Amino acid sequence: MKVKINRNAAKALKEMLEQEEAQGKMVRVYVSHMHGDHAHYDLMLDTPTEKDEVVKSDKEIDFILEKGNEYLDGVWIQFFHLPKEEWLITNPSKGSHDHHHH
């Protein structure tokens, strides 16, 4: 399984992981809901279970993904500052190019 992140997302996630409440936790990417043939994604701090896979990104951040969930393999996590601060999590391999995380 693979996860891609942009530099802004890496910086924001590293800051989140440095907080006291994040000690011992990692970033989980999960499907928050499905709409027909595409998924909406979200992030949270969590610890892996036996149902998960820990995936290393190219930006030195490990992510927790649910094993076997095809919608999570290949997610692309981006963070933008303009026109407003927002996260954009998509999976280009699943045709979710236009769907923002809510």
Side-chain angles (χ1 to χ4, degrees), residues 33-47:
H33 56 279
M34 297 286 298
H35 287 287
D37 64 347
H38 69 270
H40 290 256
Y41 302 92
D42 209 342
L43 303 169
M44 67 185 234
L45 294 174
D46 202 2
T47 53

Side-chain angles (χ1 to χ4, degrees), residues 39-96:
H40 290 256
Y41 302 92
D42 209 342
L43 303 169
M44 67 185 234
L45 294 174
D46 202 2
T47 53
T49 70
E50 67 280 350
K51 297 177 183 179
D52 299 319
E53 183 175 335
V54 175
V55 177
K56 295 190 179 298
S57 75
D58 62 340
K59 304 281 192 296
E60 300 178 10
I61 297 175
D62 294 341
F63 291 90
I64 304 168
L65 303 178
E66 179 186 3
K67 285 181 189 173
N69 188 327
E70 66 180 289
Y71 285 93
L72 294 173
D73 187 18
V75 292
W76 187 18
I77 303 167
Q78 301 171 81
F79 184 74
F80 297 100
H81 293 283
L82 298 171
K84 63 179 181 174
E85 286 195 355
E86 72 176 325
W87 291 93
L88 176 63
I89 306 171
T90 59
N91 189 332
S93 69
K94 295 298 175 193
S96 61

Side-chain angles (χ1 to χ4, degrees), residues 15-25 45-46:
E15 288 173 3
M16 184 188 315
L17 289 166
E18 290 172 357
Q19 301 299 316
E20 187 175 332
E21 60 271 10
Q23 294 304 308
K25 295 190 177 182
L45 294 174
D46 202 2

